[in-house]
Amino acid sequence: MSGKNTFPLPNDPIWISKLLNWANHHYPFFAYFTDNGIPYPHQGFKHQFYAAKSAFPLKEATAIYGKQKMVGIIGYDYKNVVEKLTSDHPAPVDCPESVFFLPELEILIEENQISVIHEHGDQLMSEILAFSHPLIPNPHVLVTAMTDKETYFSNIQSIKNHIISGDLYEMNYCMGFTFEEKKWDPIQGFEALMKRSAMPFSALFRGEDLYLVCASPERFLKKTGDQWIAQPIKGTIKRGANAEEDSIFQDYLANSEKERAENLMIVDLMRNDLSKVSKVGSVEVEELFGIYAFPKVSQMISTVKSKVRSDLSLETIVQATFPMGSMTGAPKIMCMELIERHEDFKRGWYSGALGYFEANGDFDLNVVIRSIVFDKASGKGYFAVGSAITHDADAEYEYQECLLKSEAIREVLEGF
């Protein structure tokens, strides 16, 4: 790949849609990232697009890290490589543990211009803007819960018993939902999800037949220069009907002892994880219990940062920090063992990480939540939601929190 062409920002309001559909006809691997213009501490994803015709796993990406640009996704079940763990539950959709690619086409989108990095940039931009794709509205689909309410309540009690016994402090327990519809279009699904729940770490990722439609509010890990940034989310409440009610809800979240305790435990876990790849004594909490509003929910977000230890391989970084502690609980390994015991589906890409890597070794990875995984070949898809279970967790409250987190996705799929 060579050549860089700069163009004024297209005045066609659907040019991004044209880009995604054009790429879907030409590239088996692509990734579109956007922060949707949402303010976020240390910024969300850069607005950019990458595409390629071949891919490789994380093991091969380690040799390339810090030398070339890459895009990559790491599934939750990569934990079995990091630790002596297993994932024996059925997979709603079979997802590879990791998929990385070297961009053959890059499009960087700024406020007033776009840069197309490709040897035929002029020609490709003309093709994209002229691309016509027949719009057939997505069919409404039937969403099926993989875990019934009675089982959910029983598992909450079992997890609480483990906490009382001293096996763990907090565990992220998730339930999955499935659907099947070969005519469902993931690009339309992504566009619909952005209208309902635009998030700062949103992305559309294609890996051959598999698509990830992602509206994530959470950063896993960012490296910028000599600094690490991790931003765990724990604490969720619905948005109010008006500004006054919104303020009341956010005050409740900010002062909830339960939510603060959940958040603090994961902050401590992330401090410990970061210490393995950081200069001694450099780990600090920049912000604790920050409250941030998004379209459907308000979240409690903390920011942990530190100084990067030099000469770290990508494999070392992943083994020290993956998966994100907010998606496991504490202590991490015990929680992952109990997640396998209590959940009834293989998480796959859900609660893994997706992002982009610069040639200088900087990168930004989200946590794959509020996301749909779809297999175009089989027409099968799934999504999952979860919450942190502590000793004082109320099963009905946690169940309703999960339904709240799934609301935007269900609206997109079921046509509310």
Side-chain angles (χ1 to χ4, degrees), residues 110-127:
E110 298 173 288
E111 188 175 349
N112 297 310
Q113 68 176 32
I114 60 172
S115 298
V116 179
I117 302 172
H118 190 276
E119 60 182 339
H120 302 299
D122 273 328
Q123 177 185 333
L124 293 189
M125 197 62 203
S126 296
E127 284 183 21

Side-chain angles (χ1 to χ4, degrees), residues 203-255:
L204 177 66
F205 179 85
R206 180 184 180 186
E208 296 184 311
D209 288 329
L210 297 183
Y211 292 80
L212 177 72
V213 175
C214 179
S216 175
E218 186 170 16
R219 170 176 277 131
F220 165 43
L221 189 62
K222 180 178 184 177
K223 179 183 177 294
T224 177
D226 67 347
Q227 187 176 70
W228 292 123
I229 298 161
Q231 293 176 297
I233 290 179
K234 272 287 166 272
T236 304
I237 201 163
K238 66 180 180 180
R239 294 296 305 272
N242 52 52
E244 183 180 0
E245 188 177 63
D246 212 26
S247 179
I248 292 169
F249 287 165
Q250 289 179 0
D251 285 345
Y252 176 85
L253 177 61
N255 293 293

Side-chain angles (χ1 to χ4, degrees), residues 30 37 47 60 65 72 83 107 128 132 134 195 291-292 301 376 406:
F30 68 72
H47 197 185
E60 292 181 34
Y65 171 65
E83 304 290 348
I107 299 179
I128 291 165
S132 178
K195 289 176 182 175
I291 305 298
Y292 293 87
I301 304 171
K376 188 69 174 174
S406 72

